[in-house]
Amino acid sequence: MISGFAESVYKKYGRSVYELMEESFFKALDMAGLQRSDIQGFITTFMPGIFDDNVYMHFFPDQVCNYLGIHPKYIDSLDYGGPSVLAALYRAERLIKNGGIDNILLLFGGKGSLVREKKVTVDSFESLYENVTNTPYKSLFREYNYTNPLSDYALAAQRHKYMYKSTDEQRAILAVKQRKNANASGYSMFSGNLSADDVLNSSVISSPLHLLEIVYPVDGFHAFIVSKSAGKLRALKIQNYGEAHWTDIPPEQNDIILISASESSNKFRNEIKKCDFYELYDSFTITVMLQLENTGIVPKGKSGKFIENTSMSADGEFPLNTGGGSLNRGQPAYMSGSVLLYESLLQLNNMAKNQVKSANKVFINGIGGWSRNHSVSMIIGE
Amino acid sequence: MDLKEIYQVYKEKFNDKKLPYIECNNCKYNFYYPRNICPKCGSHDIKINESNGNGTIYSYTVMNKSIWAIVSLNEGFKMYMDIYGNNPEINKKIKIIFKDSQLPCGEII
Ligand SMILES: [Zn+2]
């Protein structure tokens, strides 16, 4: 159960990454009505550059605990990129169920602005350093791989267009529908009117993807406190769960638009369709489309038509990314998983401004890692 | 064959403007990205072949006027590469060429 949750998100945060994480941690503690000394477990993640520009930090989770003044009995770091926080929630629930630990802090985020300003991504941070390699294949990649994950998703979008005749306009409509939710959410970084033409007229960054269908990396942390008791909040828990890790690199996959989400969701497809709202990873518009198809919500190749014909607002037939998603919230430290979980908890606790009526069950899907290798699917309810 | 030897042979092939790839003698799987163990069957019994350099575009993206693609070679393996030429399309035929980069590229034919 989650007893406290908080976010601290800025376009550019002027102070250190430690001060930023501390801010979200103390807000979450406050909601949970707990003290630092009550935290007995700690789970986080690291990505190149997001911790004040460091490529890596030695014994990093331990050092964060030291800084925050917490003394956990259990420490872990998960390295799945965007969905890491979702996998951490599952592990935290199990640890608490096993006994001996009552409160676990999940702390995910960092400073995306420092990486952004160097005109690289966490995937290509190694390009700044001659002797640093993030992949065994660096010598064969270095000429053309420095635009991941953008180019990687562009290849998937292009293939999707070819296979299923999906269109640029369909992806643009998704961005427009998410923006409408963002405008209603009251806490979006990017807001205001957006038309499909605005999206289609924005620069093509990596064809077929336009600027306005790509997340903007920002500074931010989310803190979630997983506890034996939900405290003041609703007693929510994971009802269905799956994760999948497909380790093949895209050129060695048979089909780049058949993704790991098809496996992580396959044990509870019927339950997914019965949820009250949906939070799907939205690093790019195509990411959402691939999840709609690969989790069985719509048949293969039909996500474009589905987006055109379906209302995705809070009172619509398929409430999707009800806070506007990370396309509008900004993507804290190149990871959108926390944005999805945070909005889900607002909704399920009846705390959202763009509130779904009787929001009792959410389907969340996170995608991440190098290309689309890691997927975490879950339903949360009471 | 150890990994260092594989990279050495790859480098020599690139210098000769040839595209190398690895064939597993046990299960016949062909792959490009260097490993001394077959990713399919786990055999260490592998050899390096030369591709005939013909393939098709599996998917592509245009970024800053450059074309980047996953190419499917006729020998059945896929790899990333830069593409030269105009009007890229999925399934268009390419031929392997070598530019200044020392790494294999594709040219639309
Ligand atoms: Zn083999």
Side-chain angles (χ1 to χ4, degrees):
Chain A
M1 294 176 202
I2 289 175
S3 62
F5 61 98
E7 59 156 25
S8 296
V9 179
Y10 302 86
K11 199 171 274 185
K12 184 171 171 54
Y13 182 75
R15 294 159 71 179
S16 81
V17 73
Y18 299 99
E19 290 160 294
L20 183 57
M21 68 170 76
E22 187 187 311
E23 188 183 306
S24 65
F25 172 43
F26 278 89
K27 280 197 272 185
L29 267 185
D30 190 48
M31 184 190 275
L34 295 172
Q35 306 295 317
R36 283 190 305 175
S37 56
D38 295 322
I39 300 298
Q40 298 157 322
F42 177 68
I43 310 180
T44 187
T45 195
F46 190 95
M47 297 223 282
I50 63 171
F51 265 68
D52 289 344
D53 244 358
N54 290 306
V55 180
Y56 192 65
M57 283 174 61
H58 205 31
F59 303 128
F60 139 79
D62 170 60
Q63 298 203 52
V64 170
C65 290
N66 169 275
Y67 186 89
L68 295 176
I70 54 179
H71 301 91
K73 300 184 214 173
Y74 180 88
I75 293 181
D76 211 344
S77 173
L78 293 176
D79 200 7
Y80 307 154
S84 297
V85 66
L86 304 175
L89 174 60
Y90 177 71
R91 283 154 180 71
E93 277 196 0
R94 289 177 68 102
L95 281 162
I96 288 167
K97 205 174 163 194
N98 286 347
I101 295 181
D102 291 343
N103 301 295
I104 300 176
L105 170 64
L106 318 182
L107 192 60
F108 286 79
K111 290 180 69 173
S113 65
L114 298 171
V115 181
R116 179 182 87 205
E117 284 162 7
K118 289 185 159 63
K119 301 205 181 300
V120 293
T121 68
V122 286
D123 293 32
S124 60
F125 205 72
E126 62 172 1
S127 66
L128 302 172
Y129 305 90
E130 190 60 37
N131 296 320
V132 173
T133 63
N134 285 341
T135 150
Y137 314 121
K138 181 177 178 180
S139 65
L140 296 179
F141 279 164
R142 57 178 306 144
E143 298 295 320
Y144 30 70
N145 201 48
Y146 286 163
T147 49
N148 259 346
L150 169 59
S151 48
D152 178 58
Y153 276 89
L155 292 170
Q158 198 79 262
R159 186 79 192 166
H160 194 274
K161 286 180 70 170
Y162 172 79
M163 292 297 290
Y164 299 123
K165 308 284 173 260
S166 62
T167 64
D168 292 350
E169 184 160 34
Q170 289 168 338
R171 295 196 319 277
I173 290 169
L174 176 66
V176 168
K177 291 187 176 182
Q178 288 203 187
R179 174 58 66 85
K180 281 184 184 152
N181 280 336
N183 289 340
S185 76
Y187 72 105
S188 189
M189 186 170 289
F190 302 104
S191 56
N193 289 330
L194 185 74
S195 69
D197 279 345
D198 292 336
V199 179
L200 295 171
N201 291 331
S202 68
S203 319
V204 175
I205 306 296
S206 184
S207 72
L209 299 177
H210 301 76
L211 181 66
L212 293 179
E213 43 181 331
I214 298 169
V215 280
Y216 187 73
V218 298
D219 297 345
F221 268 91
H222 286 79
F224 302 97
I225 298 175
V226 188
S227 301
K228 200 170 176 181
S229 150
K232 291 180 290 188
L233 300 181
R234 207 170 162 190
L236 301 165
K237 57 179 191 294
I238 297 173
Q239 296 184 331
N240 300 87
Y241 183 82
E243 61 182 61
H245 308 281
W246 289 10
T247 58
D248 290 337
I249 60 176
E252 295 188 347
Q253 295 165 3
N254 287 330
D255 177 359
I256 60 171
I257 54 179
L258 173 66
I259 66 169
S260 49
S262 63
E263 182 188 328
S264 60
S265 65
N266 68 4
K267 290 206 181 79
F268 52 98
R269 290 279 168 87
N270 288 335
E271 298 304 313
I272 292 171
K273 288 176 182 156
K274 294 181 210 156
C275 286
D276 301 312
F277 66 106
Y278 297 80
E279 302 294 330
L280 303 181
Y281 204 86
D282 65 334
S283 47
F284 308 93
T285 48
I286 183 67
T287 321
V288 176
M289 292 171 70
L290 293 176
Q291 289 165 101
L292 284 169
E293 294 175 14
N294 280 268
T295 62
I297 293 170
V298 305
K300 279 279 149 58
K302 302 290 186 204
S303 60
K305 278 269 174 277
F306 181 78
I307 287 163
E308 280 179 1
N309 299 330
T310 310
S311 166
M312 293 168 173
S313 60
D315 59 359
E317 51 189 311
F318 187 81
L320 172 70
N321 292 348
T322 44
S326 56
L327 280 171
N328 295 295
R329 185 69 191 106
Q331 190 183 40
Y334 295 83
M335 295 175 283
S336 299
S338 296
V339 174
L340 308 179
L341 183 56
Y342 182 82
E343 170 65 14
S344 298
L345 293 169
L346 286 180
Q347 291 285 349
L348 292 167
N349 284 293
N350 207 31
M351 293 159 72
K353 208 172 153 200
N354 187 34
Q355 184 66 46
V356 174
K357 271 199 192 111
S358 50
N360 295 315
K361 258 189 181 192
V362 61
F363 174 63
I364 309 177
N365 204 92
I367 295 285
W370 190 2
S371 70
R372 295 154 295 283
N373 289 7
H374 306 288
S375 176
V376 175
S377 306
M378 61 167 71
I379 293 173
I380 299 180
E382 203 163 347
Chain B
M1 229 179 192
D2 67 27
L3 194 55
K4 200 173 159 190
E5 283 175 288
I6 296 172
Y7 273 102
Q8 185 56 39
V9 175
Y10 267 49
K11 202 174 158 191
E12 286 160 13
K13 299 279 185 197
F14 293 159
N15 287 339
D16 293 342
K17 302 192 185 307
K18 299 287 184 195
L19 174 63
Y21 68 95
I22 300 168
E23 179 183 346
C24 171
N25 287 322
N26 183 49
C27 76
K28 306 297 170 194
Y29 179 63
N30 292 340
F31 58 101
Y32 175 71
Y33 294 99
R35 276 147 289 183
N36 71 331
I37 177 171
C38 171
K40 290 290 176 205
C41 75
S43 170
H44 286 93
D45 185 9
I46 55 168
K47 65 170 182 245
I48 297 179
N49 294 336
E50 269 176 23
S51 163
N52 69 15
N54 293 305
T56 55
I57 295 176
Y58 173 80
S59 193
Y60 70 94
T61 179
V62 182
M63 189 183 277
N64 296 331
K65 293 180 183 158
S66 303
I67 308 165
W68 191 63
I70 294 176
V71 163
S72 179
L73 278 301
N74 286 5
E75 290 83 4
F77 64 93
K78 296 202 289 290
M79 59 183 285
Y80 288 125
M81 67 181 70
D82 285 330
I83 299 287
Y84 293 88
N86 297 316
N87 306 317
E89 276 174 36
I90 289 175
N91 273 350
K92 258 195 182 172
K93 287 185 176 163
I94 64 97
K95 193 166 180 48
I96 296 296
I97 56 165
F98 285 80
K99 293 253 179 188
D100 311 337
S101 72
Q102 298 274 308
L103 286 172
C105 308
E107 186 172 54
I108 295 170
I109 52 175

